[in-house]
Amino acid sequence: MDVVIRNANLADGRQGVDIAIEAGRIAAIGPALAVTAGREIDAGGDLVSAPFVDAHFHMDATLSYGLPRVNASGTLLEGIALWGELKPDLTQQALIGRALQYCDWAVARGLLAIRSHVDVCDDRLLAVEALLEVKRLVAPYLDLQLVAFPQDGVLRSPTALANLKRAIAMGVDVVGGIPHFERTMADGAESVRILCEFAAEQGLRVDMHCDESDDPHSRHIETLAYESNRLGLHGRVTGSHLTSMHSMDNYYVSKLLPLIREGGVAAIANPLINITLQGRHDTYPKRRGMTRVPELLAAGIDVAFGHDCVMDPWYSLGSGDMLEVAQMGLHVAQMTGQDAMRACFEAVTTTPARILGLEQYGIAVGNHADLVLLDAADPVEAIRLRAARRLVMRRGAVIAEAPRANARLDLPGRPDSVNFRLNR
Ligand code: FE2
């Protein structure tokens, strides 16, 4: 074997297993494997997880915070306007440089698959070209899936639909949309129909920014679920944000949830961004704005947590740490039960992997040897500690590594009775 990891806990609850790796794949998993390997790694009872996956990001805007100015109101709409001011000044070199810096951060944090929207409303398609190049460059380290995103509205912006089709022809993977930004509800619904039909023709997945609004009457998710069902796109369609569901009438939501399930549509909440951008027109009480995550999960709908933004016109913080995203999602959705906390870990690992359609993902024999060794015993502890990544592996090769940072104060007379391992 090339590598064997000893005494690892797995996210599914298995404890103290060994993982043998050969030729970039997981060759065996089991207790005390009788194998020899070129490198032995002692997990010491720590969690080995499949890599983190971010199902919703904007890599064309990342690390542009302050260019050309800061979002003063903190609203989604000022962010869109600010991005519009920045667009004419974008260069490929700057886009690629910022995206690669973000990928450095992502890999260090065990984030090895990202679905990034890329704005197609600049007729030059500079960002599309840049991110296709980034996708090619980073392929040995992480999977970058791109969504053709008509930021200014596929109907509202005169060249957006043609540009979106050009982007797909250039190699962008997924069809995007933004129905709530079209001029009218009717145009929004029409945009969903046009884009879903295009995706069905092309055999592509769909991921729309959908109802990113506090307006309870923003109901484009209903049309998205309908079109997914009508066109047989089950399992290939995602509604991102869905924040209007937070403000909807409960009776209407009781009809909507089964329709989303029937359409085979997945949901992506973006907790860090939703909690900061939504509710901005409220005084008090101030809405949280995140979609109804526990209710969607209870209805059998896949829900992932995305990062959405890091240091850009919409969000001034972030570092590519999906455990920070999971922790915020857990708090905003009040998902504090043990099963609910584990579901928050799944929302940044296995569920987004399914949404992206990643193949050979997960800690199982035959899959890619892509994994993260966390300084935590289990998924709940990983979220609580935002655990350090001891080691990140891609196709069997270690691509990031960090020592544990522990401290124990050396005090005379210190009682030894307390053994609560805060930082293990
Ligand atoms: Fe977004």
Side-chain angles (χ1 to χ4, degrees):
M1 295 289 162
D2 299 326
V3 182
V4 63
I5 302 173
R6 302 284 186 193
N7 191 20
N9 291 352
L10 304 183
D12 63 12
R14 279 179 284 174
Q15 294 191 334
V17 297
D18 295 350
I19 304 167
I21 291 156
E22 191 170 46
R25 293 190 181 273
I26 297 174
I29 301 174
L33 291 178
V35 294
T36 54
R39 181 174 178 189
E40 292 236 356
I41 296 164
D42 179 14
D46 279 348
L47 175 64
V48 168
S49 168
F52 296 107
V53 180
D54 182 2
H56 188 110
F57 194 62
H58 294 263
M59 204 174 278
D60 51 358
T62 197
L63 309 193
S64 69
Y65 180 68
L67 297 174
R69 61 184 175 81
V70 168
N71 184 337
S73 68
T75 60
L76 170 71
L77 294 180
E78 184 176 342
I80 294 175
L82 216 166
W83 174 240
E85 291 171 34
L86 174 59
K87 262 193 268 191
D89 297 332
L90 291 174
T91 66
Q92 280 218 21
Q93 210 180 5
L95 282 160
I96 291 172
R98 289 195 285 261
L100 290 180
Q101 184 171 4
Y102 185 75
C103 290
D104 291 340
W105 297 1
V107 166
R109 287 157 184 77
L111 170 54
L112 301 190
I114 300 173
R115 173 182 278 181
S116 175
H117 296 253
V118 51
D119 187 1
V120 298
C121 289
D122 174 354
D123 290 343
R124 300 169 300 168
L125 294 185
L126 265 190
V128 172
E129 283 180 1
L131 288 197
L132 283 169
E133 175 65 2
V134 170
K135 176 179 171 164
R136 190 186 66 76
L137 289 169
V138 301
Y141 296 93
L142 63 89
D143 296 304
L144 178 58
Q145 187 178 83
L146 298 177
V147 185
F149 174 46
Q151 171 77 76
D152 300 333
V154 80
L155 297 175
R156 190 168 169 180
S157 173
T159 55
L161 184 58
N163 288 351
L164 181 144
K165 291 180 175 178
R166 278 170 59 208
I168 295 293
M170 289 162 66
V172 170
D173 308 281
V174 178
V175 176
I178 186 164
H180 57 276
F181 195 70
E182 303 291 355
R183 288 190 179 88
T184 63
M185 289 292 180
D187 272 5
E190 178 69 355
S191 77
V192 173
R193 184 186 66 76
I194 290 169
L195 292 164
C196 285
E197 286 184 353
F198 175 66
E201 268 168 43
Q202 301 283 316
L204 298 173
R205 291 172 188 268
V206 175
D207 187 342
M208 288 193 198
H209 284 66
C210 195
D211 304 320
E212 189 179 3
S213 161
D214 291 318
D215 174 7
H217 302 294
S218 187
R219 294 177 170 187
H220 297 298
I221 180 56
E222 180 186 83
T223 309
L224 188 62
Y226 171 81
E227 291 296 341
S228 179
N229 197 39
R230 178 176 76 86
L231 296 163
L233 294 172
H234 306 80
R236 287 159 50 196
V237 176
T238 302
S240 277
H241 289 294
L242 306 179
T243 52
S244 73
M245 285 183 70
H246 187 94
S247 299
M248 282 175 184
D249 169 72
N250 288 336
Y251 186 88
Y252 173 67
V253 172
S254 74
K255 178 194 172 197
L256 178 62
L257 289 170
L259 289 177
I260 299 173
R261 169 95 167 114
E262 178 187 47
V265 174
I268 298 172
N270 295 297
L272 293 163
I273 308 310
N274 300 151
I275 198 71
T276 47
L277 290 185
Q278 301 304 311
R280 288 277 177 162
H281 294 215
D282 293 354
T283 54
Y284 288 93
K286 199 182 271 286
R287 284 168 287 182
R288 298 168 185 223
M290 193 169 80
T291 195
R292 304 190 188 200
V293 175
E295 293 78 8
L296 285 158
L297 288 169
I301 296 159
D302 272 346
V303 184
F305 289 147
H307 207 317
D308 199 6
C309 301
V310 170
M311 300 185 71
D312 69 9
W314 297 274
Y315 189 58
S316 53
L317 301 169
S319 67
D321 183 353
M322 295 308 292
L323 286 173
E324 182 185 8
V325 173
Q327 193 179 67
M328 180 57 78
L330 183 159
H331 283 81
V332 175
Q334 299 178 329
M335 292 173 67
T336 51
Q338 279 288 320
D339 287 349
M341 289 194 285
R342 278 191 287 273
C344 290
F345 190 82
E346 289 168 7
V348 293
T349 51
T350 50
T351 306
R354 206 157 46 238
I355 289 172
L356 268 66
L358 296 182
E359 291 173 355
Q360 279 118 46
Y361 170 94
I363 307 300
V365 172
N367 283 351
H368 292 307
D370 298 351
L371 53 85
V372 188
L373 172 59
L374 292 154
D375 192 3
D378 59 59
V380 172
E381 193 172 55
I383 294 174
R384 180 173 68 81
L385 298 174
R386 286 174 51 192
R389 283 66 165 168
R390 290 181 52 197
L391 179 145
V392 180
M393 184 180 282
R394 168 88 165 173
R395 307 296 195 255
V398 175
I399 55 173
E401 207 163 0
R404 280 176 165 151
N406 287 340
R408 181 174 168 81
L409 307 189
D410 185 16
L411 301 175
R414 176 175 177 158
D416 211 24
S417 55
V418 179
N419 188 27
F420 193 85
R421 297 181 304 169
L422 181 64
N423 203 22
R424 297 166 44 74

